[in-house]
Amino acid sequence: MDPRSEGLCVLHNEKLKLFCLDDQQPVCLVCQTSKKHRNHKFCPVDEAVTEFKDKLKSALEPLQKNLRVLEEAKRDYDQTAAHIKTQAQHTERQIKKEFEKLHQFLRDEEAARIAALKEEEEQKSQMMRRKIEEMNGEISALSDTIRNIEKEMEAEDVLFLQSSVLRAQLTPKDPEKTSGALINVGKHLSNLKFRVWENMQEVLQYTPVTLDPNTAHPDLHLSDDLTAVENTNQRSSLPDNPERFDEWCCVLGSEGFNSGIHCWDVQVGDSENWSLGVITESGPRKGNSVRGSVWRLDYIKSSNTIWILCPGQSVHSFRPKEKLQRVRVQLDWDRGTVTFTDLLTNTHLHTITHTFTQRVLPYFFNYSVHPLRILPVKTSVTVEQHS
């Protein structure tokens, strides 16, 4: 049997009762007096064991903590992976739903245009049938007249001169030409795709700002078309990705701006507590610091008060004269202004001034089950002719 498995010295077959601090190994009493360990420091084995266990315990704690962090990160990754799949499936369903609407519109347009073609075909075919019938009557009458004339011409001279044929009006009449009898192909096919697209404007909507679901607080619910947000007070199981707000019930626009003038109208309706404005793209999304990083207009129904809050500026408040229903937010990035307007009364509410130096995103806060809804704008088709 190996002496080491019995806790014995392999050289002296004695119990390993000491620990050499210089060589960092257990030794027996004979080893202690040997030349190899002369002038070395020693301590009892149990003391060395206790000391090493304490060191390992201290080293183990951060490793265990790191393991917990890694396990939590893996859970987040698992949740994110599952959410990616859910997002893809939901988005695919929405794409198919929207394209089905377009397909149905095209099917309806096709059916209407073919029906118009068939109607014109029937009308013009019916007109031609009447004319053909009239022509058949004229041909029949003319044929009878010709036969009569030919018969009269065979009669005796006196009888021929006494016939009425000589006194009849025998001037032939040419058939009338019918204009517009053919199918108006140009009307049905001219710029067909463009005309269909023109009609499509009636069913299409364009919203200048849409919402980014990856930034939405878990209590918020967005409409399928990403234009409305309501607070359900029912936390959804969503990944805590860096872009998502975790404390304030906010959501951002899906597109940011770093130049030009941009405008979006919001139906605030019956929401009791809402906020509109802009936030820098690099602004914080986590914790309490969010609200101090937004140029915004807040409304609290309980006090019927509008608050204007801007980073680094004093708070300003006032009470609106009319109940707010629709609010326009206009960002002039180059001039450094954010203007709020009551659309129903066309009343200027407030203009925030600030020199923007980076991209900003539309900001929406809703602490109500009543939705905030971004309104569509009117679109039109124009044709430009170049000389």
Side-chain angles (χ1 to χ4, degrees):
M1 184 176 289
D2 189 345
R4 286 174 295 188
S5 64
E6 295 291 316
L8 300 177
C9 177
V10 294
L11 297 176
H12 309 108
N13 207 31
E14 296 285 337
K15 283 279 187 183
L16 298 170
K17 295 184 176 181
L18 298 174
F19 184 78
C20 177
L21 298 174
D22 294 270
D23 293 331
Q24 291 289 297
Q25 65 181 45
V27 297
C28 67
L29 293 174
V30 179
C31 291
Q32 181 187 20
T33 59
S34 67
K35 180 179 179 181
K36 181 182 177 181
H37 294 282
R38 185 177 298 164
N39 298 325
H40 286 187
K41 294 180 180 179
F42 301 88
C43 71
V45 165
D46 56 349
E47 287 184 13
V49 168
T50 302
E51 183 179 349
F52 275 109
K53 283 187 176 180
D54 289 342
K55 287 181 179 179
L56 283 175
K57 186 178 179 182
S58 298
L60 191 61
E61 285 178 357
L63 294 178
Q64 290 171 331
K65 183 178 179 181
N66 186 242
L67 177 62
R68 289 192 295 271
V69 169
L70 291 175
E71 288 173 340
E72 186 175 341
K74 182 183 178 298
R75 284 194 296 271
D76 288 343
Y77 288 160
D78 290 340
Q79 185 185 21
T80 300
H83 188 64
I84 288 171
K85 189 171 184 179
T86 301
Q87 276 187 313
Q89 291 172 343
H90 176 73
T91 305
E92 182 179 344
R93 285 194 299 271
Q94 287 304 117
I95 290 172
K96 288 182 176 179
K97 183 179 176 182
E98 291 303 313
F99 268 93
E100 176 53 33
K101 292 178 183 176
L102 294 176
H103 293 157
Q104 187 59 51
F105 172 83
L106 292 175
R107 286 193 291 268
D108 293 343
E109 278 283 317
E110 179 186 10
R113 290 171 184 276
I114 289 177
L117 172 62
K118 294 293 185 185
E119 183 181 0
E120 183 180 355
E121 179 191 14
E122 178 58 30
Q123 288 174 351
K124 292 188 172 179
S125 296
Q126 194 174 17
M127 178 185 70
M128 292 311 298
R129 283 194 296 269
R130 286 197 307 269
K131 288 187 175 295
I132 288 170
E133 288 175 4
E134 291 172 2
M135 191 63 64
N136 286 335
E138 290 181 15
I139 290 172
S140 178
L142 187 57
S143 296
D144 290 344
T145 300
I146 291 171
R147 280 194 299 270
N148 291 334
I149 292 173
E150 288 173 343
K151 187 177 179 181
E152 293 286 346
M153 288 176 69
E154 293 174 358
E156 293 293 334
D157 292 347
V158 175
L159 293 175
F160 171 72
L161 292 173
Q162 291 175 342
S163 73
S164 60
V165 171
L166 295 177
R167 292 177 292 279
Q169 186 69 266
L170 300 177
T171 306
K173 183 175 68 172
D174 291 333
E176 291 182 3
K177 298 289 186 182
T178 304
S179 62
L182 300 180
I183 295 291
N184 189 346
V185 176
K187 182 184 74 173
H188 297 288
L189 292 182
S190 178
N191 293 313
L192 177 60
K193 291 190 285 291
F194 179 83
R195 298 304 175 198
V196 172
W197 178 53
E198 207 172 26
N199 288 346
M200 195 177 286
Q201 304 303 306
E202 299 173 10
V203 298
L204 298 183
Q205 285 191 340
Y206 174 75
T207 310
V209 169
T210 56
L211 304 173
D212 180 0
N214 293 336
T215 66
H217 184 277
D219 284 356
L220 297 179
H221 176 264
L222 308 187
S223 61
D224 287 336
D225 63 358
L226 305 179
T227 63
V229 54
E230 61 186 20
N231 192 318
T232 60
N233 280 321
Q234 295 178 350
R235 181 153 298 206
S236 303
S237 179
L238 297 171
D240 187 23
N241 48 299
E243 301 88 356
R244 191 177 306 283
F245 292 97
D246 65 349
E247 192 161 325
W248 290 99
C249 296
C250 310
V251 61
L252 301 183
S254 57
E255 183 183 354
F257 310 112
N258 60 0
S259 65
I261 299 174
H262 308 275
C263 179
W264 54 98
D265 299 340
V266 183
Q267 179 87 36
V268 297
D270 295 323
S271 177
E272 301 92 354
N273 191 344
W274 51 265
S275 177
L276 303 173
V278 296
I279 186 174
T280 55
E281 192 171 40
S282 62
R285 311 288 173 88
K286 310 298 183 184
N288 256 326
S289 56
V290 172
R291 299 278 280 189
S293 307
V294 188
W295 293 266
R296 68 189 195 272
L297 178 149
D298 286 5
Y299 176 74
I300 301 175
K301 184 179 180 180
S302 59
S303 60
N304 189 34
T305 303
I306 289 176
W307 300 82
I308 305 296
L309 300 102
C310 316
Q313 298 182 27
S314 58
V315 177
H316 174 62
S317 68
F318 61 94
R319 290 188 174 182
K321 295 178 180 179
E322 303 285 343
K323 184 178 185 296
L324 295 176
Q325 286 290 327
R326 295 183 178 185
V327 175
R328 171 168 292 171
V329 183
Q330 181 169 302
L331 165 71
D332 188 333
W333 195 95
D334 300 308
R335 287 190 171 185
T337 61
V338 183
T339 302
F340 302 95
T341 306
D342 178 355
L343 276 185
L344 289 187
T345 61
N346 199 28
T347 303
H348 171 259
L349 297 172
H350 192 81
T351 296
I352 295 172
T353 56
H354 177 79
T355 302
F356 296 109
T357 57
Q358 57 176 298
R359 184 183 299 273
V360 296
L361 294 158
Y363 167 94
F364 305 84
F365 170 90
N366 192 9
Y367 204 65
S368 169
V369 295
H370 301 291
L372 302 181
R373 186 176 302 278
I374 306 164
L375 300 174
V377 297
K378 290 184 178 180
T379 58
S380 61
V381 177
T382 58
V383 178
E384 286 187 15
Q385 289 187 326
H386 299 283
S387 57

